Amino acid sequence: VTTNDLLQHQELGKWYDLYNRLTRGILLRRVDGLVSISHELAASPVFSMFRKPTAVIANGIDLDAYVPLPAPANQVPHLVFIGSPTAGFAAHGIDKLVRLAELCSDLQLDVVGYSGFDGRPSLPSNIAFHGYLPVERYRSLLAGADVAVSSLGFHRVGLQEASPLKSREYLAYGLPMVVPYIDTDLDDLDCDFFLKIPNREDNVETHAEAIRDFAYRMRGRRVDRSIIAPRVDSAAKEAHRLRFFEQILSHTKK
């Protein structure tokens, strides 16, 4: 369970929405258990109504596959965002990144995955849209960034809790991060390389100055991997998943 599929299919149009509503129960009534990426989704009535054993295992990453990037020596802080229009424009909050560029003219923002933003006739000069890039090219942008920004608009799709894959990649490369939601693995951490801001429509308007100050503080800094590894590394998560499968198998054999 990676999303609230009822809300997701509403965005796809009425026929997809209707088809999903008519057929989702066929699958969910027959499964022996659910693995949810968040406590919020696990507790949601749209899934809990099926009364299935449920494990909460957030998105993880194979940290051994990533070499942390050294911090750049920027005088002007650079922020980076990676996204995909096909993954949900509303949740990414690209319009908020544009607004952040307007409010903080002394920050440089790089957006990967989007070629531009159609909602504004003109864009601030301190935000650049790079479109889709191969790994080696967007890695170079990450290497030059002081801070990464995660999705700014989960509230728009009815979510308060998340663990986006891009956030795990940011952390694997060592980038400090702006976190505008409850992170399933990291919310209880009290670390100076995370900036937590509210998950609401005005989060950039009310916290632009905090984001700016955070970006300046993070110049020359990288995330301490020893702190995040036990929480986000996929090896521990897969061990948890297999234990849950074993519990399900044990129960079904009785």
Side-chain angles (χ1 to χ4, degrees):
V1 176
T2 60
T3 188
N4 183 330
D5 58 288
L6 292 181
L7 291 175
Q8 191 94 5
H9 281 77
Q10 284 177 6
E11 290 189 357
L12 296 177
K14 65 178 182 179
W15 296 115
Y16 286 103
D17 180 32
L18 178 61
Y19 180 82
N20 181 58
R21 289 177 182 275
L22 292 174
T23 61
R24 68 191 302 269
I26 297 173
L27 172 67
L28 293 172
R29 278 191 292 269
R30 297 182 64 182
V31 301
D32 293 307
L34 300 173
V35 177
S36 172
I37 62 166
S38 73
H39 299 282
E40 180 183 22
L41 287 171
S44 171
V46 303
F47 297 109
S48 63
M49 64 180 289
F50 295 98
R51 301 183 181 277
K52 301 293 183 178
T54 302
V56 176
I57 306 175
N59 285 315
I61 194 166
D62 180 6
L63 289 175
D64 289 340
Y66 293 81
V67 177
L69 299 168
N74 295 326
Q75 286 193 329
V76 173
H78 284 234
L79 284 71
V80 66
F81 176 91
I82 297 177
S84 169
T86 60
F89 172 83
H92 285 163
I94 300 301
D95 55 313
K96 298 188 184 194
L97 292 171
V98 173
R99 182 59 178 152
L100 178 62
E102 289 179 332
L103 294 170
C104 300
S105 59
D106 56 339
L107 300 180
Q108 175 63 47
L109 282 76
D110 290 296
V111 181
V112 177
Y114 287 82
S115 297
F117 179 58
D118 296 332
R120 297 289 300 275
S122 61
L123 294 173
S125 60
N126 59 325
I127 186 167
F129 289 86
H130 299 274
Y132 286 107
L133 297 176
V135 173
E136 61 273 13
R137 289 188 59 193
Y138 78 69
R139 189 190 294 123
S140 68
L141 287 175
L142 292 172
D146 300 285
V147 168
V149 181
S150 200
S151 294
L152 291 161
F154 276 119
H155 59 90
R156 293 173 172 174
V157 292
L159 294 176
Q160 293 294 326
E161 182 184 353
S163 55
L165 290 171
K166 66 170 157 285
S167 70
R168 274 50 190 159
E169 188 168 12
Y170 295 156
L171 294 173
Y173 283 126
L175 272 71
M177 188 166 62
V178 177
V179 186
Y181 47 81
I182 297 170
D183 188 294
T184 307
D185 292 323
L186 306 170
D187 193 62
D188 62 332
L189 277 181
D190 184 17
C191 297
D192 60 357
F193 45 75
F194 295 130
L195 175 65
K196 299 176 184 178
I197 66 173
N199 181 27
R200 64 190 192 212
E201 191 60 36
D202 66 348
N203 52 9
V204 165
E205 291 285 344
T206 58
H207 287 72
E209 192 64 26
I211 295 171
R212 178 187 179 278
D213 292 346
F214 176 68
Y216 273 94
R217 290 198 307 274
M218 291 300 106
R219 289 178 301 168
R221 300 281 306 278
R222 282 300 189 241
V223 169
D224 184 342
R225 180 172 281 201
S226 67
I227 294 176
I228 63 163
R231 295 168 177 261
V232 304
D233 191 75
S234 57
K237 292 179 178 294
E238 287 310 305
H240 183 183
R241 196 185 315 274
L242 291 175
R243 288 194 299 270
F244 179 62
F245 289 173
E246 290 169 355
Q247 293 170 8
I248 295 294
L249 288 169
S250 175
H251 177 75
T252 56
K253 288 176 181 178
K254 292 181 180 178

